[in-house]
Amino acid sequence: MTEQKSVLASVTSMLVRVIKALSCSYRIPDPLPWAQLAGPLAAAEDAVARHDERLGKSPIRDGAISRTHFADACASLWLDGELVHLEDLVLHDAGMDVRAPTHELTRAHAVLRARRRIAESKPDWALSAAGLASLQGRNHNAELDDEETCLEDGERDSMADDVGGEQGSPDVAAPTGILKSDSDLDMAFAAIDAANAKAERRLASELRSQPERDALIYDPDWDEEGRLEHWRGLVVQTRSMPPTLAAAIAADAWGVIEPLEHMPWLGRLLAASVLRDRGKTRAHLLCLHTGLKSIPRERRRPRDPAARLLVLLEAMTAAAEADRKDHDRWLMTRNLLARKLAGRRATSKLPALIDYVLAKPIVSAGMIAAELGITPRAAQNLVADLGLREATGRGRYRAWGIL
């Protein structure tokens, strides 16, 4: 019995040590295997430049970019082993879902919103500290709180001015019976003092503390700030390299370092933003997810860093060439549809419908009606006049599109 107690005592006195996850690091291959990278690098530089130049002077530039946003968002989920239908993403983005959105659909929509945000901002915005914080969604609540605080302070200041005017203005004599009591004035001045104290506390603190994250969802040992700084330092080191190679290193480093625990797809969007920041792409944001989708799964994630860079360069070439072919096909379709505008009135909705159809992979009668300000029945008549191809059949909804 005494032996058992001694054993139990020795077990209970043991200290439990928690092994923290080692911080991931990434090193740029030195020296770089230029003999292997020279050919794919030249092909990627040429393909990306050709597509960007053609897209920059294209009459359907905005529509082609909008379509590629949807395709790249679906491809990002496809790379993670999730299937998101392009039709469901378009309808969800328009707020006309035919069924309850799935978790994968909401993630694809998050990728879509991030792509639009990066493409509409300045070239260097996404790589800045403010841009990364905004893409993570960290400063959204802070901005809302600051706006609410400013509104509250403005209301209280206006109330203070009203009270001060009633009490201290020597030129204006307040009518009898309208003067407030001392208790009301004390309450008003107390509210003003509280608002001033709150504003001083906000001005004194430069950075607001982030709310605690749930340990079941976020790893407490996941140093996102440190990993992001490490990744941004690597991006700075690639300043002297060709733009496509710098973008490939940025995407590969993001996959190894994994700065954000629940946003692995953001690294490929930031890699495309590196091309915009370096001036390689001025008219569009490269669809790196779509390019990686064309690479066989066996070659997509090798262990050798140089082989991974080679795969990323091939993905850039494939994405640029595929988007260029799609652009040429859409442009030819637009020219064919424009022939049906001959003899139409100047107030016809058909030109606007053509532009809208080119900007969306599919369109429904409700989407057309909301965009053009007409009835769904009139939208169906316009679709019949253009002769668009029906993409979904006569199910719960009908949608049309162009190839």
Side-chain angles (χ1 to χ4, degrees):
M1 189 68 179
T2 349
E3 184 178 357
Q4 294 179 358
K5 288 184 179 180
S6 61
V7 171
L8 291 175
S10 62
V11 171
T12 54
S13 61
M14 292 175 61
L15 296 177
V16 179
R17 295 183 178 181
V18 179
I19 301 177
K20 294 186 177 181
L22 297 177
S23 59
C24 297
S25 60
Y26 182 87
R27 291 184 179 179
I28 301 175
D30 188 20
L32 287 168
W34 292 108
Q36 303 177 15
L37 298 177
L41 177 60
E45 291 277 338
D46 184 60
V48 172
R50 283 177 180 271
H51 176 54
D52 187 74
E53 184 68 20
R54 180 171 300 184
L55 197 61
K57 300 178 180 180
S58 173
I60 60 169
R61 172 182 175 272
D62 296 337
I65 291 176
S66 177
R67 278 175 164 262
T68 54
H69 286 339
F70 286 101
D72 193 66
C74 292
S76 66
L77 270 294
W78 190 90
L79 293 175
D80 295 336
E82 305 291 347
L83 179 60
V84 175
H85 292 284
L86 187 64
E87 297 84 359
D88 293 339
L89 181 58
V90 174
L91 294 174
H92 180 69
D93 181 63
M96 298 183 180
D97 303 83
V98 295
R99 58 183 67 89
T102 61
H103 176 63
E104 293 77 16
L105 182 58
T106 55
R107 287 173 56 196
H109 195 232
V111 179
L112 177 64
R113 294 197 308 268
R115 277 192 62 89
R116 288 172 175 171
R117 185 76 183 277
I118 295 174
E120 294 172 359
S121 303
K122 295 181 179 179
D124 59 343
W125 174 81
L127 301 175
S128 63
L132 288 172
S134 180
L135 291 173
Q136 296 177 61
R138 289 189 171 186
N139 60 348
H140 181 65
N141 296 330
E143 292 176 356
L144 292 178
D145 294 342
D146 292 340
E147 292 178 0
E148 293 176 357
T149 303
C150 293
L151 291 176
E152 293 175 359
D153 294 346
E155 293 176 356
R156 289 170 181 170
D157 291 342
S158 62
M159 182 180 64
D161 294 339
D162 296 341
V163 173
E166 291 176 0
Q167 183 186 19
S169 178
D171 299 333
V172 180
T176 307
I178 302 183
L179 287 175
K180 295 184 178 180
S181 61
D182 295 338
S183 60
D184 294 334
L185 292 175
D186 293 338
M187 291 175 61
F189 285 119
I192 295 172
D193 294 336
N196 291 334
K198 186 177 181 180
E200 290 176 359
R201 289 194 301 269
R202 289 291 183 90
L203 293 175
S205 60
E206 295 181 358
L207 297 175
R208 298 184 57 189
S209 59
Q210 297 293 335
E212 295 184 0
R213 294 182 171 184
D214 192 350
L216 294 176
I217 303 176
Y218 295 93
D219 187 358
D221 297 327
W222 201 283
D223 185 14
E224 290 189 350
E225 297 297 333
R227 297 189 183 202
L228 274 176
E229 288 299 325
H230 179 39
W231 181 82
R232 294 183 65 190
L234 291 171
V235 173
V236 173
Q237 295 180 21
T238 60
R239 281 288 178 183
S240 59
M241 299 181 182
T244 53
L245 181 59
I249 292 176
D252 185 38
W254 187 280
V256 174
I257 300 173
E258 296 181 348
L260 303 183
E261 190 174 358
H262 296 287
M263 300 177 70
W265 47 265
L266 184 59
R268 301 185 185 103
L269 299 184
L270 294 177
S273 183
V274 170
L275 296 175
R276 296 185 69 229
D277 183 37
R278 299 285 298 276
K280 188 63 179 180
T281 57
R282 303 176 183 271
H284 78 293
L285 187 68
L286 185 68
C287 300
L288 191 54
H289 294 108
T290 306
L292 285 172
K293 186 178 177 180
S294 63
I295 304 295
R297 182 181 59 85
E298 295 78 12
R299 298 185 54 244
R300 198 178 301 141
R301 191 63 179 174
R303 294 186 177 180
D304 185 18
R308 291 198 300 267
L309 297 179
L310 183 65
V311 168
L312 288 169
L313 291 174
E314 292 179 0
M316 294 180 190
T317 305
E321 292 180 350
D323 290 344
R324 181 164 52 86
K325 292 179 181 178
D326 290 338
H327 167 267
D328 295 344
R329 186 174 67 254
W330 297 333
L331 183 59
M332 182 180 62
T333 304
R334 178 183 179 272
N335 295 333
L336 293 176
L337 293 176
R339 295 180 181 179
K340 299 183 179 181
L341 302 179
R344 299 284 178 174
R345 293 177 295 180
T347 58
S348 176
K349 297 287 187 178
L350 285 180
L353 177 59
I354 293 176
D355 295 337
Y356 187 63
V357 170
L358 289 171
K360 303 290 182 181
I362 65 166
V363 291
S364 63
M367 294 172 59
I368 297 174
E371 176 69 18
L372 303 183
I374 57 179
T375 62
R377 183 62 181 175
Q380 293 183 9
N381 294 334
L382 291 177
V383 169
D385 292 341
L386 282 182
L388 297 179
R389 180 182 62 89
E390 190 166 356
T392 57
R394 300 178 182 273
R396 298 180 59 184
Y397 69 97
R398 297 179 63 186
W400 300 266
I402 61 175
L403 296 176

